[in-house]
Amino acid sequence: MVEHFYPEKDYGTPARLSENLITLNIDGVEITVPEGTSVMHAAARADINIPKLCATDNMEAFGSCRLCTVEIEGRRGYPASCTTPVEPGMVVRSQTRALAKLRRNVMELYISDHPLDCLTCPANGDCELQDMAGAVGLREVRYGFDGENHLDAVKDESNPYFSFDPSKCIACSRCVRACGEVQGTFALTIEGRGFDSKVSAGKNTSFVESDCVSCGACVQACPTSTLMEKSVIDQGQPEHSVITTCAYCGVGCSFKAEMKGDKVIRMTPWKGGSANHGHSCVKGRFAFGYATHKDRLTKPMIRASIDEPWNEVSWEEAIDFAARRLREVQEKHGRKSVGGITSSRCTNEETYLVQKLIRAALGNNNTDTCARVCHSPTGYGLKMTLGESAGTQDFDSVMEADCIMVIGANPTDAHPVFGSMMRKRLREGASLIVADPREIDLLDTPHAGEGIHLPIRPGTNVALINALAHVIVTEGLEDEAFVTERCDPEEYRAWRAFVAEPRHTPELMADVIGVPAETIRRAARQYATAGNGAIYYGLGVTEHSQGSTMVMGIANLAMATGNIGRPGVGVNPLRGQNNVQGSCDMGSFPHELPGYQPVNNDQIRHRFEATWGVSLDAEPGLRIPHMFDAAIAGEFKAMYVQGEDIAQSDPNTHHVEAALRSLELLIVQDLFLNETAKFAHVILPGSTFLEKNGTFTNAERRINRVRKVMPPLAGKEDWEVTMALANALGYSMHYQHPSEIMDEIAGLTPSFAHVSYDKLEELGSIQWPCNDEHPDGMPIMHGDSFPIGLGRMVVTEFIPTTEKVSESYPLLLTTGRILSQYNVGAQTRRTDNNVWHSEDVLEIHPHDAELRQIADGQPVTIASRTGNTVLKARLSKRMQPGVVYTTFHFPHSGANVITTDNSDWATNCPEYKVTAVQVLGTNANALSDWQQKFYAFTREQLDYLETGHQEGNR
C-alpha cells in the first residue's frame, strides 16, 4: 500500500480574489497579496505563522481570542491580524517582546479554566490549544483553580459519533461559526454572557436531540478536545493518512482516511477536494464502519439451487464454477441468453471491465446499470438537446447564481455538502425556486430570503415546464441574442410556437399542476430576469413516464433564457450515487460503448474490436426491465450483477423476484448478502472503496482518485475478480493496476483522451471532457458552442401518466431519500446512522390522516394496483393533501412492492414518483403477505449462509 500524507496549512482567514494587488512588509519581508486579504493570511503566505485560536481559513474572521495581535506602524494598540485587512505600504511586526508578553497573558487566562490533563487527553498531540501554549512560550499559570470554573461541566455523549466535553471548551465560537457559515444549519449557539458563556445545541437539549445534522464541521473546527470523535477517544490518534474519495452520493467529496496501521480511525474531509472544499456530511464523515462490519462477505460461495445451503470455496473454484455455468447456459440457450449489470458504486475501471467482459467474453450487449432506474433520462435528454450526456457546470458555479431553481431534488438530504453550498449562496442573496410535491428543507434556509415553492402534483412536471416557458416567450423574457447565435432556428421557432399556445398558460394549467397561476408566473419571471439562472434537478425529474421529455424541457428553458455556458447558470443533474455518472460514461448501457459511442456505428465498433481483439455484436442488447421480462419468458437465463441490489431497488418487486427465480445462474458480486444475493448461485465477495484503487466520477463530471487504504477483506479488489472471470471464460485480461485500465479507457474514449493517473496526481481531479482541446478538463461546458453545433430545442408535449388516482386508490405516493441513510441502506444500515432513521415511514398530511382516522406512529397498509405493504405513519405538513411519501432504505419496508412498472417512454426509467395508493390504518403487529414471505425467505437464506460458514470452517 502506498501511503500519502498531505499536511494542510491553515492560513487563518479565507483567501481573497482581486485584480488589485497590495504590497506590505511583515517582519521585514515584502509580501504582495490580493486586496482584501487579512494581515494573518498574508503572513501565512510568507510562512510567518502568527498564533491563533479562533481563526481558521474556512470561515470569516471573528477576532475573539486576541492571540493573533500584531503591531502596525502608525497605529495605536495591538490590532487582531485576522480582522485587519492589508493596506499598501503597511509595516507589520508579528514578533516583539510586548506581543510575546501579551500573548502569554491571554493564553494564561485560557489555561486557568482548562483541565491540565494533556497526557490523558484524547487530543494530546493534535490540540491547537496545546500547540499555541507552546508557541507563545507559556511556562506557568499564576491563577489557580480555587475560584469559580467550568471544570466539572457534564459531558454530552448523546451523539453516536462524537462527544461534547464542555469542561475543555474555550468559547472560541469556531464550532458555532462552522455550523452556520460552513454547514448552514445554525444548530449551535453561544448561550449566556461573560463567564457564563457556553456552547449550546439548544435550551436543555442534547446534541442528538437538536437540529445538529452531524456533518462533523464543529468537530473539525474545534481547537481542543471539546468536540472529539469517539473513534479517536477509543483508539488513539491516527499515525498516517491517505487521500481518497467518498463512496456515498454523487457529490464526490475528498477525504483523508486517517489510519493506524491498516485500521481507519477517522475520515476527515480534505481541504484540497475541489467538490467539497473540506466539508462533509454524516455519511462520509462518520458512517464508514460498514467496511469492517461482521456481515461482510469474505469467502466466495457457490450452490446449485437457491433452496440449498451455501458452500464456501476458494476463489479459483468459485470463478471456474461461474465461468463453466455461464458457458453451459449459452450452449443450451444461445449466446444472448446471458448478460450483466454494472455498478454505480464501483470504480470507473471496474465498471468498464464488467461491460467489456459481457461484450467481449460473452459476445453480446446485454449490459445495463442502475443508472437505468435513476438518471438514464438525463443522458437521453441532454444528449438530444445540448449534445452531451452530462451536467454543464462545476459545483462552485452555484456561488455565482442569482436565481437557483431546484426541481425534483432535495439537496440537503441527498447531496448534503452541495446543499450547504447552495444555502451559503442563498444567504448571500440568490433567490430560490423549488418545484417539488413536498416542502424541502432548502426552503427553510436560515438567514436567506423567502423562496418560491411550487408544490406540483406528481406527474405534472412537463406541464409545469411548458407553463414556465409560456410566460417567458409571451412576456418577451427570452435571450434573443443567445437563441439567434446558439440555437437551431427552425427548431426554436417550432418550440416557441408550441409553448406560446394558449393551452399552456399558467391559468389553464394551474388545476392540472396544482399550483396557482400567479405563483407560476412569478417563478418564470424570477428565473428569466435574475441575471444568472441555474437549474438543479434530481430523481423527481427523471423517474417519471415523461422523464426524458422533462429533461429536454429544462434544457429548452435554459437555452431560451441564455442560461448556458458561463458560471452561475446551467442545467445540472444531481446524481444520486457516487459513480452514477461514471457508470454511464464507461459504456454500461446496452446501446453504447464507453464515452456514449453507439455500438451500431461500424467505425467506432471496429476501434474497440482492434483494441479488445475480438468481434463485437452490432445489435444493442437488453435493458434491465427487458432482462426481467425475458427471464420470466424463459429466454434469458444467466446474469452477473456487480454491486447493485436490483431486488430491493427496482420497481414492482413481485416481478423482479419472479425474474430472479427464473434464472438458471445468478452471480452476485457484493459486500453483503443483500436482497439480490439471496437469489444467487454464486457469491463473489466485493471490496469497499477503502480496499481498492481506481476513480469515481461525480455529478459535475469530476474524476477523482480512489486510493486503497487497507487490504481487501476477501483478498481481491473488484476489478481483479472481473478479470479472473474473463480469463476463466477464455477471454484474456491481464492488468497489473487500475491505472492500466484507465489508460485503455483514455485510448478508446475521446472525452477521456488525456486522463491518466499521473495527471490526476498532478491536478488533483479532472472534469471531462479532457482532450486535445481541453487537456486539463472543462469545468463549464458549452461556453462557445455545443458538441452538436447548434442547440436543439425539442417540442415537449405533456402526456399525463397512465397511473391515475381513483376511488379505490385516491392518493399519490412519491418516494425519496433521507440524510442519514443511503440508497438501499446496505452500507448505512450497518452503522450508527440508524440512530436518526431506523425504519422507513409513510409521511402523510394530517388532513388525509384524519379522514382515515390514522394517528401519528400508527401502522398503516399502503395498497396500490401492484401490491401492498405495511409502514408506520408520520403526520407531516411538509406533504400536500392527496400526496404521501416514503423512503426505500430498509428492505423489509417493501416500498417497491407498491411501485408500478410504468416507465419513461425513451429510456425505461421507472416511474417511482407517481403511484396511486390507498392508505388505511391496521393492527399494531400487522405485516403484508409480501412482508411475511420476505421474513421467512430471509431467515431461510441466512440459515443457508450460516451453514456454509460452518462447513467452510471445519
Side-chain angles (χ1 to χ4, degrees), residues 617-689:
D617 192 344
E619 182 180 346
L622 298 175
R623 298 173 176 180
I624 290 175
H626 301 148
M627 292 182 196
F628 295 155
D629 293 343
I632 292 173
E635 300 164 359
F636 186 78
K637 288 295 184 178
M639 182 185 289
Y640 169 33
V641 181
Q642 183 194 69
E644 293 299 342
D645 193 359
I646 51 178
Q648 184 179 343
S649 64
D650 282 45
N652 193 347
T653 301
H654 293 296
H655 187 68
V656 177
E657 290 180 349
L660 295 178
R661 290 180 184 275
S662 300
L663 295 174
E664 292 183 9
L665 175 66
L666 176 59
I667 305 165
V668 170
Q669 184 175 341
D670 219 307
L671 305 175
F672 305 103
L673 187 76
N674 59 24
E675 303 316 301
T676 305
K678 293 172 185 176
F679 295 91
H681 306 92
V682 180
I683 284 181
L684 305 174
S687 54
T688 69
F689 77 111

Coordinates of all heavy atoms in Angstrom, one line a residue, residues 617-689:
D617 N -20.7 -7.6 -31.2 CA -22.1 -7.6 -31.7 C -22.5 -6.2 -32.0 O -22.3 -5.3 -31.2 CB -23.0 -8.2 -30.7 CG -24.4 -8.5 -31.2 OD1 -24.7 -8.0 -32.3 OD2 -25.1 -9.3 -30.6
A618 N -23.1 -5.9 -33.2 CA -23.5 -4.6 -33.6 C -24.9 -4.3 -33.1 O -25.4 -3.1 -33.1 CB -23.4 -4.4 -35.1
E619 N -25.6 -5.3 -32.6 CA -27.0 -5.1 -32.2 C -27.1 -4.7 -30.7 O -26.5 -5.4 -29.8 CB -27.8 -6.3 -32.4 CG -29.3 -6.2 -32.1 CD -30.1 -7.5 -32.3 OE1 -29.5 -8.4 -33.0 OE2 -31.2 -7.6 -31.8
P620 N -27.8 -3.6 -30.3 CA -27.9 -3.3 -28.9 C -28.6 -4.4 -28.1 O -29.4 -5.2 -28.6 CB -28.8 -2.0 -28.9 CG -28.6 -1.4 -30.3 CD -28.4 -2.6 -31.2
G621 N -28.2 -4.5 -26.8 CA -28.7 -5.6 -26.0 C -29.9 -5.2 -25.2 O -30.6 -4.2 -25.5
L622 N -30.2 -6.0 -24.2 CA -31.4 -5.8 -23.4 C -31.1 -4.8 -22.3 O -30.1 -4.8 -21.7 CB -31.8 -7.2 -22.7 CG -32.2 -8.3 -23.7 CD1 -32.4 -9.6 -22.9 CD2 -33.4 -8.0 -24.5
R623 N -32.1 -4.0 -22.0 CA -32.2 -3.2 -20.8 C -32.6 -4.0 -19.6 O -33.2 -5.1 -19.8 CB -33.1 -2.0 -21.0 CG -32.7 -1.1 -22.2 CD -33.8 0.0 -22.4 NE -33.5 0.9 -23.5 CZ -34.2 1.9 -23.9 NH1 -35.4 2.1 -23.3 NH2 -33.8 2.8 -24.8
I624 N -32.4 -3.4 -18.4 CA -32.7 -4.2 -17.2 C -34.2 -4.7 -17.2 O -34.4 -5.9 -17.0 CB -32.4 -3.4 -15.9 CG1 -30.9 -3.2 -15.8 CG2 -33.1 -4.0 -14.7 CD1 -30.6 -2.3 -14.6
P625 N -35.2 -3.9 -17.5 CA -36.5 -4.4 -17.4 C -36.8 -5.4 -18.5 O -37.6 -6.4 -18.3 CB -37.4 -3.2 -17.7 CG -36.5 -2.1 -18.2 CD -35.2 -2.4 -17.7
H626 N -36.1 -5.3 -19.6 CA -36.2 -6.3 -20.7 C -35.6 -7.6 -20.3 O -36.0 -8.7 -20.7 CB -35.7 -5.8 -22.0 CG -36.3 -4.6 -22.5 ND1 -35.7 -3.6 -23.2 CD2 -37.6 -4.1 -22.3 CE1 -36.5 -2.6 -23.4 NE2 -37.7 -2.9 -22.9
M627 N -34.5 -7.6 -19.5 CA -33.9 -8.8 -19.0 C -34.8 -9.5 -18.1 O -35.0 -10.7 -18.1 CB -32.6 -8.4 -18.2 CG -31.4 -7.9 -19.0 SD -30.0 -7.6 -18.0 CE -29.0 -6.6 -19.0
F628 N -35.5 -8.7 -17.2 CA -36.5 -9.4 -16.3 C -37.6 -10.0 -17.1 O -38.0 -11.2 -16.8 CB -37.1 -8.3 -15.4 CG -36.1 -7.7 -14.4 CD1 -36.4 -6.4 -13.9 CD2 -35.0 -8.4 -14.0 CE1 -35.5 -5.9 -13.0 CE2 -34.1 -7.8 -13.1 CZ -34.4 -6.6 -12.6
D629 N -38.2 -9.3 -18.1 CA -39.3 -9.9 -18.9 C -38.8 -11.2 -19.6 O -39.5 -12.2 -19.7 CB -39.7 -8.9 -19.9 CG -40.4 -7.7 -19.3 OD1 -40.8 -7.8 -18.1 OD2 -40.6 -6.6 -20.0
A630 N -37.6 -11.1 -20.2 CA -37.0 -12.2 -20.9 C -36.8 -13.4 -20.0 O -36.9 -14.6 -20.4 CB -35.8 -11.8 -21.7
A631 N -36.4 -13.1 -18.8 CA -36.1 -14.2 -17.8 C -37.4 -14.9 -17.5 O -37.5 -16.2 -17.5 CB -35.5 -13.6 -16.5
I632 N -38.5 -14.2 -17.3 CA -39.8 -14.8 -17.0 C -40.3 -15.6 -18.2 O -40.9 -16.6 -18.0 CB -40.8 -13.7 -16.5 CG1 -40.3 -13.1 -15.1 CG2 -42.2 -14.2 -16.4 CD1 -41.1 -11.9 -14.7
A633 N -40.0 -15.1 -19.4 CA -40.4 -15.7 -20.6 C -39.5 -17.0 -20.9 O -39.9 -17.7 -21.9 CB -40.4 -14.8 -21.7
G634 N -38.5 -17.2 -20.1 CA -37.6 -18.4 -20.4 C -36.5 -18.2 -21.4 O -35.9 -19.1 -21.9
E635 N -36.3 -16.9 -21.8 CA -35.3 -16.6 -22.9 C -34.0 -16.1 -22.3 O -33.0 -16.1 -23.1 CB -35.9 -15.6 -23.9 CG -37.2 -16.1 -24.5 CD -38.0 -15.0 -25.2 OE1 -37.5 -13.8 -25.1 OE2 -39.0 -15.2 -25.8
F636 N -34.0 -15.6 -21.1 CA -32.8 -15.0 -20.5 C -32.5 -15.8 -19.3 O -33.3 -15.9 -18.4 CB -33.0 -13.5 -20.2 CG -31.8 -12.8 -19.7 CD1 -30.9 -12.4 -20.6 CD2 -31.7 -12.5 -18.3 CE1 -29.8 -11.6 -20.1 CE2 -30.6 -11.8 -17.9 CZ -29.6 -11.4 -18.8
K637 N -31.3 -16.4 -19.2 CA -31.1 -17.5 -18.2 C -30.0 -17.2 -17.2 O -29.9 -17.9 -16.2 CB -30.8 -18.8 -18.9 CG -32.1 -19.4 -19.6 CD -33.1 -19.7 -18.6 CE -34.3 -20.4 -19.2 NZ -35.3 -20.8 -18.2
A638 N -29.1 -16.3 -17.4 CA -28.0 -16.1 -16.5 C -27.6 -14.6 -16.4 O -27.6 -13.9 -17.5 CB -26.8 -16.9 -16.9
M639 N -27.2 -14.2 -15.2 CA -26.9 -12.8 -15.0 C -25.8 -12.6 -14.1 O -25.7 -13.3 -13.1 CB -28.2 -12.0 -14.5 CG -28.0 -10.5 -14.3 SD -29.5 -9.8 -13.5 CE -30.6 -9.9 -14.8
Y640 N -24.9 -11.7 -14.4 CA -23.7 -11.3 -13.5 C -24.0 -9.9 -13.0 O -24.1 -9.0 -13.8 CB -22.4 -11.4 -14.3 CG -21.2 -10.8 -13.7 CD1 -21.0 -10.8 -12.3 CD2 -20.2 -10.2 -14.5 CE1 -19.8 -10.3 -11.7 CE2 -19.0 -9.7 -13.9 CZ -18.8 -9.7 -12.6 OH -17.7 -9.2 -12.0
V641 N -24.2 -9.8 -11.7 CA -24.6 -8.5 -11.1 C -23.4 -8.0 -10.2 O -23.1 -8.7 -9.2 CB -25.9 -8.6 -10.3 CG1 -26.2 -7.2 -9.7 CG2 -27.0 -9.1 -11.2
Q642 N -22.8 -6.9 -10.5 CA -21.7 -6.4 -9.7 C -22.2 -5.1 -8.9 O -22.6 -4.1 -9.5 CB -20.5 -6.0 -10.5 CG -19.3 -5.5 -9.7 CD -18.3 -4.8 -10.5 OE1 -18.5 -3.7 -11.1 NE2 -17.1 -5.4 -10.7
G643 N -22.4 -5.2 -7.6 CA -22.6 -4.1 -6.8 C -23.9 -3.4 -6.8 O -24.0 -2.2 -6.5
E644 N -24.9 -4.1 -7.3 CA -26.3 -3.5 -7.4 C -27.3 -4.4 -6.7 O -27.2 -5.7 -6.9 CB -26.7 -3.2 -8.8 CG -25.9 -2.1 -9.5 CD -26.0 -0.8 -8.8 OE1 -27.0 -0.6 -8.0 OE2 -25.2 0.1 -9.1
D645 N -28.2 -3.9 -6.0 CA -29.2 -4.7 -5.3 C -30.6 -4.5 -6.0 O -31.5 -3.8 -5.5 CB -29.3 -4.3 -3.8 CG -30.1 -5.3 -3.0 OD1 -30.6 -6.3 -3.6 OD2 -30.3 -5.1 -1.8
I646 N -30.7 -5.1 -7.2 CA -31.9 -4.9 -8.0 C -33.2 -5.4 -7.4 O -34.3 -4.9 -7.6 CB -31.7 -5.6 -9.4 CG1 -31.3 -7.0 -9.3 CG2 -30.7 -4.8 -10.2 CD1 -31.1 -7.7 -10.6
A647 N -33.0 -6.4 -6.5 CA -34.2 -7.0 -5.8 C -34.9 -6.0 -4.9 O -36.1 -6.0 -4.6 CB -33.9 -8.3 -5.1
Q648 N -34.1 -5.0 -4.4 CA -34.6 -4.0 -3.5 C -34.9 -2.7 -4.2 O -35.8 -2.0 -3.9 CB -33.7 -3.8 -2.3 CG -34.3 -2.8 -1.3 CD -33.4 -2.5 -0.1 OE1 -32.5 -3.3 0.2 NE2 -33.6 -1.4 0.6
S649 N -34.0 -2.4 -5.2 CA -34.1 -1.0 -5.7 C -35.0 -0.9 -6.9 O -35.4 0.2 -7.3 CB -32.7 -0.6 -6.1 OG -32.1 -1.4 -7.1
D650 N -35.3 -2.0 -7.6 CA -36.1 -1.9 -8.9 C -37.5 -2.0 -8.6 O -38.0 -2.6 -7.6 CB -35.6 -2.9 -9.9 CG -34.3 -2.6 -10.6 OD1 -33.4 -2.1 -9.9 OD2 -34.2 -2.7 -11.8
P651 N -38.4 -1.4 -9.4 CA -39.8 -1.3 -9.1 C -40.5 -2.7 -9.3 O -40.0 -3.6 -10.0 CB -40.3 -0.3 -10.1 CG -39.4 -0.5 -11.3 CD -38.1 -0.8 -10.7
N652 N -41.7 -2.7 -8.8 CA -42.6 -3.9 -8.9 C -41.8 -5.2 -8.4 O -41.4 -6.0 -9.2 CB -43.1 -4.1 -10.3 CG -44.2 -5.1 -10.4 OD1 -44.5 -5.9 -9.5 ND2 -44.9 -5.1 -11.6
T653 N -41.6 -5.2 -7.1 CA -40.7 -6.3 -6.5 C -41.2 -7.7 -6.9 O -40.4 -8.6 -7.1 CB -40.7 -6.1 -5.0 OG1 -40.2 -4.8 -4.7 CG2 -39.8 -7.1 -4.4
H654 N -42.5 -7.9 -7.0 CA -43.0 -9.2 -7.3 C -42.4 -9.6 -8.7 O -42.0 -10.8 -8.9 CB -44.5 -9.2 -7.4 CG -45.2 -9.0 -6.1 ND1 -45.1 -9.9 -5.0 CD2 -46.0 -8.0 -5.6 CE1 -45.8 -9.4 -4.0 NE2 -46.4 -8.3 -4.3
H655 N -42.4 -8.7 -9.6 CA -41.9 -9.0 -11.0 C -40.4 -9.3 -11.0 O -40.0 -10.2 -11.6 CB -42.2 -7.8 -11.9 CG -41.9 -8.0 -13.3 ND1 -42.6 -8.9 -14.1 CD2 -41.0 -7.5 -14.2 CE1 -42.2 -8.9 -15.3 NE2 -41.2 -8.1 -15.4
V656 N -39.7 -8.5 -10.2 CA -38.2 -8.7 -10.1 C -37.9 -10.0 -9.5 O -37.0 -10.8 -10.0 CB -37.6 -7.5 -9.3 CG1 -36.0 -7.8 -9.2 CG2 -37.8 -6.2 -10.0
E657 N -38.6 -10.3 -8.4 CA -38.3 -11.6 -7.7 C -38.6 -12.8 -8.6 O -37.9 -13.8 -8.7 CB -39.1 -11.7 -6.4 CG -38.5 -10.7 -5.3 CD -39.3 -10.8 -4.0 OE1 -40.4 -11.5 -4.0 OE2 -38.9 -10.2 -3.1
A658 N -39.7 -12.7 -9.4 CA -40.1 -13.7 -10.3 C -39.0 -13.9 -11.4 O -38.7 -15.1 -11.7 CB -41.4 -13.4 -11.0
A659 N -38.4 -12.8 -11.8 CA -37.4 -12.9 -12.8 C -36.1 -13.6 -12.3 O -35.5 -14.4 -12.9 CB -37.0 -11.5 -13.3
L660 N -35.7 -13.2 -11.0 CA -34.5 -13.8 -10.4 C -34.7 -15.3 -10.2 O -33.8 -16.0 -10.3 CB -34.2 -13.0 -9.1 CG -33.8 -11.5 -9.3 CD1 -33.6 -10.9 -8.0 CD2 -32.6 -11.4 -10.2
R661 N -35.9 -15.7 -9.8 CA -36.2 -17.1 -9.5 C -36.1 -17.9 -10.8 O -35.9 -19.1 -10.8 CB -37.5 -17.3 -8.8 CG -37.6 -16.8 -7.4 CD -38.9 -17.0 -6.8 NE -39.0 -16.5 -5.4 CZ -38.6 -17.1 -4.3 NH1 -38.2 -18.3 -4.4 NH2 -38.8 -16.6 -3.2
S662 N -36.4 -17.2 -11.9 CA -36.4 -17.9 -13.2 C -35.0 -18.2 -13.8 O -34.9 -18.9 -14.7 CB -37.2 -17.0 -14.3 OG -38.5 -16.8 -13.8
L663 N -34.0 -17.5 -13.2 CA -32.6 -17.7 -13.8 C -32.0 -19.0 -13.4 O -32.2 -19.5 -12.3 CB -31.7 -16.6 -13.2 CG -32.1 -15.1 -13.6 CD1 -31.2 -14.1 -12.9 CD2 -31.9 -14.9 -15.2
E664 N -31.3 -19.6 -14.3 CA -30.5 -20.8 -14.0 C -29.2 -20.5 -13.3 O -28.7 -21.3 -12.6 CB -30.3 -21.6 -15.3 CG -31.5 -22.2 -16.0 CD -31.2 -23.0 -17.2 OE1 -30.0 -23.2 -17.5 OE2 -32.1 -23.4 -17.9
L665 N -28.7 -19.3 -13.5 CA -27.5 -18.9 -12.9 C -27.5 -17.4 -12.6 O -27.7 -16.5 -13.5 CB -26.3 -19.2 -13.8 CG -24.9 -18.7 -13.3 CD1 -24.5 -19.5 -12.0 CD2 -23.9 -18.9 -14.4
L666 N -27.3 -17.0 -11.3 CA -27.2 -15.6 -10.9 C -25.9 -15.5 -10.1 O -25.7 -16.1 -9.1 CB -28.4 -15.2 -10.0 CG -28.3 -13.8 -9.4 CD1 -28.2 -12.7 -10.5 CD2 -29.5 -13.5 -8.5
I667 N -25.0 -14.7 -10.6 CA -23.7 -14.4 -10.0 C -23.8 -13.0 -9.4 O -24.0 -12.0 -10.1 CB -22.6 -14.5 -11.0 CG1 -22.6 -15.8 -11.8 CG2 -21.2 -14.2 -10.4 CD1 -21.7 -15.8 -13.0
V668 N -23.6 -12.9 -8.1 CA -23.6 -11.6 -7.4 C -22.3 -11.3 -6.8 O -21.7 -12.2 -6.1 CB -24.7 -11.6 -6.3 CG1 -24.6 -10.4 -5.4 CG2 -26.1 -11.7 -7.0
Q669 N -21.8 -10.2 -7.1 CA -20.5 -9.7 -6.5 C -20.8 -8.5 -5.6 O -21.2 -7.4 -6.2 CB -19.6 -9.3 -7.6 CG -18.2 -8.9 -7.2 CD -17.3 -8.6 -8.4 OE1 -17.6 -9.1 -9.5 NE2 -16.2 -7.9 -8.2
D670 N -20.8 -8.7 -4.3 CA -21.2 -7.6 -3.4 C -20.6 -7.7 -2.1 O -19.9 -8.7 -1.8 CB -22.7 -7.5 -3.3 CG -23.2 -6.1 -3.3 OD1 -22.8 -5.3 -2.5 OD2 -24.1 -5.8 -4.1
L671 N -20.9 -6.7 -1.2 CA -20.3 -6.7 0.1 C -21.0 -7.5 1.1 O -20.4 -8.1 2.1 CB -20.2 -5.2 0.6 CG -19.6 -4.2 -0.2 CD1 -19.7 -2.8 0.4 CD2 -18.1 -4.5 -0.4
F672 N -22.3 -7.6 1.0 CA -23.2 -8.3 1.9 C -24.2 -9.2 1.2 O -24.4 -9.1 0.0 CB -24.0 -7.2 2.7 CG -23.2 -6.2 3.4 CD1 -23.1 -4.9 2.9 CD2 -22.5 -6.5 4.6 CE1 -22.3 -3.9 3.5 CE2 -21.7 -5.5 5.2 CZ -21.6 -4.2 4.6
L673 N -24.8 -10.1 2.0 CA -25.9 -10.9 1.5 C -27.1 -10.0 1.3 O -28.0 -10.0 2.2 CB -26.2 -12.1 2.4 CG -27.2 -13.1 1.8 CD1 -26.5 -13.9 0.8 CD2 -27.8 -13.9 2.9
N674 N -27.2 -9.2 0.2 CA -28.3 -8.3 0.0 C -29.5 -9.0 -0.5 O -29.4 -10.2 -0.7 CB -27.8 -7.1 -0.9 CG -27.3 -7.5 -2.2 OD1 -27.7 -8.6 -2.7 ND2 -26.5 -6.7 -2.8
E675 N -30.5 -8.3 -0.9 CA -31.7 -8.9 -1.3 C -31.5 -9.7 -2.6 O -32.2 -10.8 -2.8 CB -32.8 -7.9 -1.5 CG -33.1 -7.1 -0.2 CD -33.2 -7.9 1.0 OE1 -34.0 -8.8 1.1 OE2 -32.3 -7.7 2.0
T676 N -30.7 -9.2 -3.5 CA -30.4 -9.9 -4.8 C -29.6 -11.2 -4.5 O -29.9 -12.2 -5.1 CB -29.7 -9.0 -5.7 OG1 -30.5 -7.8 -5.9 CG2 -29.5 -9.6 -7.1
A677 N -28.6 -11.1 -3.6 CA -27.8 -12.2 -3.3 C -28.5 -13.4 -2.8 O -28.1 -14.5 -2.9 CB -26.6 -11.8 -2.4
K678 N -29.7 -13.1 -2.2 CA -30.5 -14.2 -1.6 C -31.0 -15.2 -2.7 O -31.4 -16.3 -2.5 CB -31.6 -13.7 -0.8 CG -31.2 -13.0 0.5 CD -32.4 -12.3 1.1 CE -31.9 -11.5 2.4 NZ -33.0 -10.7 3.0
F679 N -31.0 -14.7 -4.0 CA -31.4 -15.4 -5.1 C -30.3 -16.0 -5.9 O -30.5 -16.5 -7.0 CB -32.3 -14.6 -6.0 CG -33.6 -14.2 -5.4 CD1 -33.7 -12.9 -4.7 CD2 -34.8 -14.9 -5.5 CE1 -34.9 -12.5 -4.1 CE2 -36.0 -14.5 -4.9 CZ -36.0 -13.3 -4.2
A680 N -29.0 -15.8 -5.4 CA -27.8 -16.1 -6.2 C -27.4 -17.6 -6.1 O -27.8 -18.3 -5.2 CB -26.7 -15.2 -5.8
H681 N -26.6 -18.0 -7.1 CA -26.0 -19.3 -7.1 C -24.5 -19.2 -6.9 O -23.8 -20.2 -6.5 CB -26.3 -20.0 -8.5 CG -27.7 -20.1 -8.8 ND1 -28.3 -19.1 -9.6 CD2 -28.7 -21.0 -8.5 CE1 -29.6 -19.4 -9.7 NE2 -29.8 -20.6 -9.1
V682 N -24.0 -18.0 -7.2 CA -22.5 -17.7 -6.9 C -22.4 -16.4 -6.2 O -23.0 -15.4 -6.7 CB -21.7 -17.7 -8.2 CG1 -20.2 -17.4 -8.0 CG2 -21.9 -19.0 -9.0
I683 N -21.7 -16.4 -5.1 CA -21.4 -15.1 -4.5 C -19.9 -14.9 -4.6 O -19.0 -15.7 -4.2 CB -21.8 -15.1 -3.0 CG1 -23.3 -14.9 -2.9 CG2 -21.1 -14.0 -2.2 CD1 -23.9 -14.8 -1.5
L684 N -19.5 -13.7 -5.2 CA -18.1 -13.3 -5.2 C -18.0 -12.1 -4.4 O -18.6 -11.0 -4.7 CB -17.8 -12.9 -6.7 CG -18.0 -14.0 -7.7 CD1 -17.7 -13.5 -9.1 CD2 -17.1 -15.2 -7.4
P685 N -17.3 -12.2 -3.2 CA -17.2 -11.0 -2.3 C -16.7 -9.8 -2.9 O -15.7 -9.8 -3.7 CB -16.3 -11.6 -1.2 CG -16.4 -13.0 -1.3 CD -16.6 -13.3 -2.7
G686 N -17.3 -8.7 -2.6 CA -16.8 -7.4 -3.2 C -15.9 -6.7 -2.2 O -15.6 -7.1 -1.1
S687 N -15.4 -5.5 -2.7 CA -14.4 -4.7 -1.8 C -15.0 -3.3 -1.7 O -15.6 -2.8 -2.7 CB -13.0 -4.7 -2.5 OG -13.1 -4.3 -3.8
T688 N -14.8 -2.7 -0.6 CA -15.3 -1.3 -0.4 C -14.3 -0.4 -1.0 O -13.2 -0.7 -1.4 CB -15.4 -1.0 1.1 OG1 -14.1 -1.0 1.7 CG2 -16.3 -2.0 1.9
F689 N -14.7 0.9 -1.0 CA -13.8 1.9 -1.6 C -12.5 2.1 -0.8 O -11.5 2.5 -1.3 CB -14.6 3.3 -1.6 CG -14.7 4.0 -0.3 CD1 -14.0 5.2 0.0 CD2 -15.5 3.5 0.7 CE1 -14.1 5.8 1.2 CE2 -15.6 4.1 2.0 CZ -14.9 5.3 2.2

